[in-house]
Amino acid sequence: GTDSALMSVSNSGTVTFNTAPDFENPSDANADNVYLVTANVSDGSASTSADFSVTVTNDPSDDAPTSSSFDGTMVAAGPVQGATVCIQVNTGTCTGAEFTTTSAQDGTFSLTVDSGTTGVLRGEGGFDPVTNLQFGEGDSLALGQPVTDQNVVISVISEFMNEGTTTNYDAYKTSLGIDPSFMIRFDNPFSNLDNAANNKAAVVNTQLFVLGKVLESIHTINSGSGARSKVSNAILTRSGTETSLGDTTFIKNLLTNYDTDFSPSSQQLIDLSSGISAYMQKINANSSNSQSHFVQVGVNELSALMSAVMNGTAS
């Protein structure tokens, strides 16, 4: 028969496919999912034959995608509540994303996706439940290389790393002075602030958020990478052993090489670097949520003051 090569018959007369058929990819001669065979039987002297057709039908349950989930926590200066969490389709935003969910009061989320889904895990919007500081689209945070087999953390640190040019977690931790044992993708820095490694990561996380907002307030980058990318790469490429984000020399060098269109005067450069570095040095994290208040003041007050330095309305 036309499709006989695809089938076998046992001594007892049972006909089977040599390879299980696939409705979506028929292998019969005319690809219509109807397999044509002719059975021949004989007792040694008399014989007869008959034509048969075997129709393969669809099993709808095979079409339903299996699912898995990205589970974790989103943190800025502590948990971010009410954020939209997604696997981004369009770079830097959850707009157009197929899979989305919302973070809870403690920043936790569970994002159900089709099995095998990969990409950048992003959270945008929401607010800090301690200070009620609202986060806009431009404050979105991301985590590259998320996994579904353990809880992950979307943080400011993971966002700045995602915006930079490295995927080397060890190198990034070294450049920030974060303990090698701290896992950027998996450890929530605010879960145990009495732990030195967590506390350091929590402070860095807070400093990065404030630093990014201040830079965005004093200059708009019109082309190329944004403020977070500039900071991330400056952190990785700085020379010397100093890792503090409050180091005045680091801040001054960052501002000097920030953008080709950014050209503060010598006095403005002094005022900006001293003001920003002084604030960075003061930031701390504790059980009284000092980090949340540092972010709120940094976003609302320090950004405004540094912007005023640039436009000449503050000395």
Side-chain angles (χ1 to χ4, degrees), residues 200-212:
K200 172 65 175 181
V203 170
V204 169
N205 203 71
T206 306
Q207 289 174 321
L208 284 173
F209 192 94
V210 174
L211 182 57

Side-chain angles (χ1 to χ4, degrees), residues 17-22:
F17 281 95
N18 296 331
T19 301
D22 182 358

Side-chain angles (χ1 to χ4, degrees), residues 69-295:
S69 63
F70 292 105
D71 301 315
T73 308
M74 179 174 170
V75 296
V80 178
Q81 181 178 351
T84 298
V85 180
C86 72
I87 290 292
Q88 71 174 25
V89 173
N90 299 305
T91 302
T93 179
C94 281
T95 301
E98 180 181 0
F99 305 106
T100 63
T101 190
T102 304
S103 63
Q105 183 176 2
D106 60 358
T108 58
F109 60 84
S110 181
L111 176 63
T112 301
V113 298
D114 292 343
S115 291
T117 298
T118 59
V120 173
L121 189 61
R122 182 166 294 280
E124 66 181 18
F127 62 96
D128 185 326
V130 174
T131 63
N132 200 37
L133 179 66
Q134 304 293 309
F135 301 123
E137 267 192 33
D139 302 321
S140 68
L141 306 177
L143 172 67
Q145 305 172 7
V147 297
T148 58
D149 57 356
Q150 66 183 103
N151 284 3
V152 295
V153 178
I154 304 174
S155 67
V156 186
I157 298 173
S158 71
E159 159 66 11
F160 274 68
M161 182 173 173
N162 184 69
E163 290 293 317
T165 56
T166 184
T167 56
N168 187 324
Y169 287 93
D170 289 334
Y172 204 64
K173 287 187 285 187
T174 298
S175 66
L176 286 169
I178 295 175
D179 192 282
S181 66
F182 182 83
M183 306 297 287
I184 292 175
R185 285 191 295 171
F186 308 121
D187 292 340
N188 181 348
F190 301 99
S191 63
N192 180 11
L193 291 173
D194 290 331
N195 176 278
N198 278 27
N199 195 285
K200 172 65 175 181
V203 170
V204 169
N205 203 71
T206 306
Q207 289 174 321
L208 284 173
F209 192 94
V210 174
L211 182 57
K213 294 299 288 184
V214 171
L215 292 175
E216 290 169 357
S217 73
I218 63 176
H219 175 69
T220 300
I221 298 175
N222 294 316
S223 62
S225 55
R228 292 174 175 181
S229 177
K230 299 278 190 181
V231 173
S232 183
N233 293 329
I235 290 169
L236 284 168
T237 57
R238 61 179 165 180
S239 58
T241 58
E242 178 59 63
T243 59
S244 170
L245 291 175
D247 179 62
T248 306
T249 300
F250 166 69
I251 296 297
K252 183 178 180 181
N253 289 338
L254 171 63
L255 294 171
T256 301
N257 303 293
Y258 182 46
D259 186 40
T260 54
D261 295 327
F262 182 63
S263 53
S265 67
S266 297
Q267 187 59 53
Q268 286 174 322
L269 187 60
I270 292 171
D271 293 341
L272 290 172
S273 57
S274 61
I276 294 172
S277 62
Y279 195 82
M280 293 294 108
Q281 292 169 27
K282 293 295 184 182
I283 291 176
N284 61 71
N286 59 35
S287 58
S288 298
N289 300 304
S290 61
Q291 64 278 358
S292 287
H293 299 287
F294 273 111
V295 164

